[in-house]
């Protein structure tokens, strides 16, 4: 999710997404039906509107000055690591709408084997995203931080860290509340 979120997630899941057939009936083209959508657990933004609004404001402050293309790569990578399908759907669509290539989005899940798709600065940001997102060792390794610090001025690095922290917070709400992916449209309400 991002600061442009102006509405809350749906309290109910649409029975049939636009352009698809209900799970119980075969699609008109003869392909197998899709699995049914899961039901969201909570409409957290409606239930805690002050928290939601505060997160929107904090997200806006965090992303100030961060390159929008880099920001979408960071949001996609963190969402992949956190298994947040809702945010993956949203930020992949936003990245595509902003002109990012399908190839770079697809390769992001295997960026270490696909380094040649990204700039050194983007790689440093992706590495930092992984280190901040997966704190299994309890810290961000010095070498990861130092690589990022070589590509970002101190103030820009703080903004990047804040943006990484925000997408992780959005992911935790999305995953815990089981927000349903697939209905987001770039430029529309989030």
């Amino acid at each position: 999710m991002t600061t442009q979120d102006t509405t809350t997630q749906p309290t109910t899941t649409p029975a049939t997404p636009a352009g698809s057939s209900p799970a119980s009936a075969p699609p008109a083209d003869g392909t197998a039906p899709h699995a049914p959508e899961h039901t969201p657990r909570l409409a957290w933004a409606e239930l805690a509107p002050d928290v939601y609004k505060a997160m929107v404001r904090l997200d806006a402050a965090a992303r100030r000055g961060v390159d929008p293309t880099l920001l979408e790569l960071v949001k996609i990578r963190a969402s992949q690591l956190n298994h947040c399908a809702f945010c993956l759907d949203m930020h992949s669509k936003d990245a595509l709408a902003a002109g990012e290539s399908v190839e770079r989005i697809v390769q992001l899940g295997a960026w270490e084997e696909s380094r040649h798709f990204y700039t050194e600065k983007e790689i440093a940001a992706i590495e930092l995203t992984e280190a901040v997102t997966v704190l299994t060792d309890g810290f961000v390794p010095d070498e990861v931080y130092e690589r990022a610090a070589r590509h970002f001025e101190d103030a820009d690095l703080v903004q990047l860290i804040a943006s990484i922290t925000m997408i992780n917070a959005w992911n935790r709400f999305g995953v815990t509340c089981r927000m349903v992916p697939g209905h987001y449209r770039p430029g529309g309400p989030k």
Side-chain angles (χ1 to χ4, degrees):
M1 298 176 82
T2 68
T3 60
Q4 297 163 353
D5 297 329
T6 56
T7 62
T8 59
Q9 72 270 16
T11 54
T12 59
T13 303
T16 305
S20 67
S21 301
S24 59
D29 66 4
T31 61
H34 292 195
E37 287 185 350
H38 64 267
T39 303
R41 287 180 178 151
L42 289 170
W44 79 271
E46 293 173 13
L47 297 168
D50 291 340
V51 173
Y52 178 80
K53 290 173 191 172
M55 284 195 47
V56 168
R57 288 190 306 273
L58 183 56
D59 190 81
R63 67 189 179 113
R64 216 170 279 136
V66 180
D67 175 79
T69 301
L70 179 68
L71 185 60
E72 291 304 329
L73 293 175
V74 162
K75 289 178 178 187
I76 292 166
R77 186 63 189 135
S79 299
Q80 289 171 336
L81 293 167
N82 289 322
H83 306 281
C84 185
F86 182 85
C87 291
L88 268 172
D89 178 61
M90 177 185 292
H91 296 296
S92 295
K93 288 174 178 174
D94 282 346
L96 288 167
E100 184 58 82
S101 73
V102 171
E103 191 171 51
R104 281 172 37 103
I105 293 170
V106 169
Q107 292 300 320
L108 196 52
W111 68 268
E112 289 177 289
E113 293 81 28
S114 306
R115 296 174 79 86
H116 60 284
F117 287 101
Y118 308 100
T119 67
E120 289 300 318
K121 185 175 184 175
E122 289 169 339
I123 290 170
I126 293 165
E127 286 178 319
L128 185 62
T129 299
E130 289 190 1
V132 171
T133 300
V134 184
L135 290 172
T136 54
D137 292 330
F139 59 92
V140 173
D142 290 339
E143 61 274 7
V144 170
Y145 178 84
E146 289 164 7
R147 260 191 301 281
R150 283 195 297 270
H151 292 282
F152 296 89
E153 297 293 326
D154 287 350
D156 296 330
L157 185 56
V158 170
Q159 292 300 127
L160 177 61
I161 294 167
S163 293
I164 295 167
T165 301
M166 284 309 305
I167 189 57
N168 275 281
W170 288 119
N171 288 168
R172 273 129 180 91
F173 276 106
V175 170
T176 305
C177 297
R178 291 186 52 147
M179 294 175 67
V180 179
H183 303 284
Y184 173 74
R185 300 289 174 259
K190 295 183 181 188

